[in-house]
Amino acid sequence: MSGQPPGVRRVAETGLRPDDVAAYAAGERTVSVVLSDADLEPVRRAQRDLESAREKGSVYGLTTGVGALRHLTVEEPVAAVEVGEPAHRDSHALRLWRSHAGGIGPVLDDGLARATMLVRLHQLLRGGSGAGPDLVVGLARALDVGAVPTLASYGGVGTGDLTVLAQLGLTLAGELPWRRGGIEPVTISDSDALPFMSSNALTVAVGSVAVSGLARLARAAEQVAALSHLALRGSVEAYDPRVHAGKDDPHAAGVAARMRAMLDGGDASSRVQDPFGLRALPQVHASIEETLGRAELALTSEIGAAAENPLAVDGVVLHHGQFLTQRLAVTLDAVRAAAVPVLTLSTARLGSLFDPQLTGLAPFLAAGPIGSSGLMVTEYVAADVLARARGLAGPVTSSRTLVSLGLEEHASHSTQSAWSTHALLDLIPDVLACELLAAVRCLRMLPERRITTACRALFDRADAALPDVRQDHVLGPELVVAADLVRSL
């Protein structure tokens, strides 16, 4: 597109990725939502396919009810619904949105609300839904002006974020108020309702933000671990390329290579073997590297999916199960399962930093009168947060859900998996903050171990941000600063 700023992608382009969605949720205008007439041609084609199919016979959700009501023929709707015209206020399209906009629970923040809108717009432009161009243009316009709807989050089970998207549809139609900004009500076609709702856009947006954030935190954990390695005078033998040449595990080899780069010149250990918190780091961190990669692929597939049911294509509509996001649920479950051992290893290093046999310092890096507690309480804080993370790590895919009179007898629960994964973004920095605080204090007390390596830059940042108070004092504010520092890495 002429005049497109460098580094900004067009929403109509294929290949939008989780990082793009996460950046958009964070307020970065990394994706342009301005549409050209050519961008809408797939939308028009799908709408024609849907109309053609209706002329030939029954179309689920358009000429019939939905779910267990699929065998009921609905009353013939009017050709179009113009918001504000009372004669059209009881159309099948609006009735369907109203009946499904029953979500409750926490309201999405601005970032997730707009990321959901972005994902749904990108999917609609693939041209499989049959939703009309007026609705698509209205959605793009709302994004372009920064409008934010009020979307209550409960109601999805990984078979379509029906409640959230029904709320969004009614907001575009002018029946629900915008929370911020807004546009003129959109003209709703009678064929818009189910095609617009038939998506897991919210689940994908939440998962994208979670996976993008966890990828950054995984690298942050390596940097914090490198500081602990210096403080404990660990050996780099565990990261030696000859060790990792002996097993076909490219993710572990990649972690080891990054650790070597951060610790180049830092091998001063006299121990025969280091604690697992240092020695087994490549193997533990490799798992989250691998699972995050798989989750990114699953999310990318969903972001760009024309998975509406029914799918309007080649002049017909096809009924299918592409809306069931089982792959996404499984991969996000795996991400959480892999994240917990990373935190377990962090708490193990925290314990090592408090061990006089490993540091030569007082227990818990205490200073002052005998009996001072030092950083003892950070172990309790880290253990508490770790337990909360473990509580989120259980798989959601092992459960079963029956809805709609038993017609829909399976759900992926990718929605719950995405939210549980997203919750880790608040927990992981707090565990790493405890380790960072301890590593910095240890290096302050043993300045000879602050040798020049690539990870020294993190020590310098933390040293400047954290007060150097070694007598027993309230540690909470410092842990907050340390957690914010972890998030910024």
Side-chain angles (χ1 to χ4, degrees):
M1 181 177 180
S2 60
Q4 190 72 31
V8 175
R9 304 190 59 182
R10 298 186 63 245
V11 70
E13 294 176 11
T14 58
L16 209 62
R17 302 185 66 82
D19 281 351
D20 299 315
V21 176
Y24 199 85
E28 301 174 28
R29 289 300 184 106
T30 52
V31 181
S32 170
V33 294
V34 177
L35 303 180
S36 69
D37 188 64
D39 294 334
L40 295 171
E41 184 48 40
V43 176
R44 297 189 187 98
R45 189 269 309 152
Q47 188 182 41
R48 290 193 298 268
D49 288 341
L50 192 62
E51 292 298 332
S52 174
R54 174 163 62 176
E55 293 173 2
K56 298 173 184 175
S58 296
V59 176
Y60 176 74
L62 180 56
T63 66
T64 75
V66 296
L69 305 178
R70 68 197 185 284
H71 294 309
L72 300 179
T73 301
V74 302
E75 296 180 2
E76 185 67 22
V78 294
V81 178
E82 183 72 40
V83 171
E85 295 182 13
H88 298 154
R89 299 301 288 176
D90 196 35
S91 73
H92 174 58
L94 285 177
R95 287 201 310 273
L96 196 58
W97 277 351
R98 290 169 188 152
S99 67
H100 281 68
I104 59 173
V107 172
L108 300 184
D109 63 33
D110 287 10
L112 283 177
R114 287 174 51 73
T116 299
M117 295 164 69
L118 180 74
V119 170
R120 191 65 192 115
L121 176 60
H122 184 65
Q123 294 170 335
L124 289 167
L125 291 169
R126 283 288 306 273
S129 73
D134 287 346
L135 180 58
V136 174
V137 169
L139 179 58
R141 187 165 64 249
L143 279 167
D144 191 43
V145 302
V148 181
T150 299
L151 305 177
S153 55
Y154 292 170
V157 291
T159 58
D161 294 315
L162 304 178
T163 62
V164 166
L165 293 172
Q167 292 169 70
L168 177 56
L170 290 176
T171 306
L172 290 166
E175 287 212 351
L176 291 177
W178 293 92
R179 185 165 79 238
R180 184 167 296 107
I183 60 171
E184 290 297 314
V186 174
T187 299
I188 305 301
S189 167
D190 67 310
S191 60
D192 282 342
L194 182 61
F196 188 71
M197 288 193 298
S198 187
S199 161
N200 293 280
L202 168 62
T203 299
V204 172
V206 173
S208 294
V209 171
V211 166
S212 180
L214 290 177
R216 292 194 303 273
L217 288 174
R219 297 300 173 87
E222 294 174 5
Q223 296 179 58
V224 174
L227 278 191
S228 295
H229 187 112
L230 284 184
L232 293 165
R233 288 194 301 180
S235 170
V236 295
E237 284 184 10
Y239 314 133
D240 193 298
R242 292 168 293 185
V243 170
H244 294 276
K247 182 190 287 188
D248 182 15
D249 189 343
H251 298 285
V255 174
R258 289 192 295 274
M259 293 300 292
R260 287 197 309 274
M262 286 188 286
L263 294 165
D264 184 34
D267 189 2
S269 178
S270 59
R271 290 185 292 271
V272 174
Q273 290 202 101
D274 283 332
F276 274 25
L278 300 178
R279 184 157 44 106
L281 188 146
Q283 292 72 30
V284 171
H285 283 231
S287 295
I288 196 166
E289 285 278 322
E290 183 173 7
T291 56
L292 283 170
R294 291 179 177 176
E296 183 179 356
L297 291 175
L299 284 163
T300 300
S301 174
E302 295 294 340
I303 291 169
E308 295 85 2
N309 180 45
L311 184 71
V313 60
D314 295 335
V316 298
V317 293
L318 303 173
H319 299 84
H320 57 84
Q322 281 280 57
F323 54 85
L324 189 73
T325 46
Q326 194 69 54
R327 176 190 180 195
L328 180 57
V330 169
T331 55
L332 291 176
D333 276 1
V335 166
R336 296 194 310 285
V340 169
V342 172
L343 298 183
T344 302
L345 224 56
S346 176
T347 60
R349 289 189 297 271
L350 181 63
S352 295
L353 288 163
F354 291 162
D355 187 345
Q357 296 185 47
L358 295 174
T359 64
L361 298 169
F364 308 109
L365 305 176
I370 294 175
S372 295
S373 297
L375 301 181
M376 178 193 292
V377 76
T378 60
E379 276 197 303
Y380 293 82
V381 173
D384 178 4
V385 180
L386 175 57
R388 295 169 191 261
R390 284 181 176 140
L392 294 169
V396 302
T397 52
S398 60
S399 61
R400 187 184 182 200
T401 294
L402 285 82
V403 294
S404 200
L405 303 183
L407 172 69
E408 298 174 12
E409 74 278 26
H410 178 75
S412 72
H413 294 288
S414 63
T415 307
Q416 289 68 42
S417 193
W419 280 115
S420 293
T421 307
H422 188 275
L424 290 178
L425 297 179
D426 290 330
L427 299 178
I428 291 176
D430 290 336
V431 175
L432 296 177
C434 294
E435 181 187 355
L436 178 59
L437 192 67
V440 168
R441 178 179 283 200
C442 188
L443 288 169
R444 282 170 169 168
M445 298 173 80
L446 298 169
E448 69 277 8
R449 298 186 184 181
R450 283 184 255 157
I451 56 180
T452 301
T453 66
C455 68
R456 174 66 185 268
L458 174 55
F459 172 80
D460 291 339
R461 284 184 63 188
D463 188 41
L466 296 168
D468 188 2
V469 181
R470 301 180 192 181
Q471 302 297 317
D472 285 0
H473 64 284
V474 176
L475 295 169
E478 291 167 50
L479 288 172
V480 171
V481 171
D484 287 343
L485 181 57
V486 167
R487 292 185 180 93
S488 72
L489 296 178

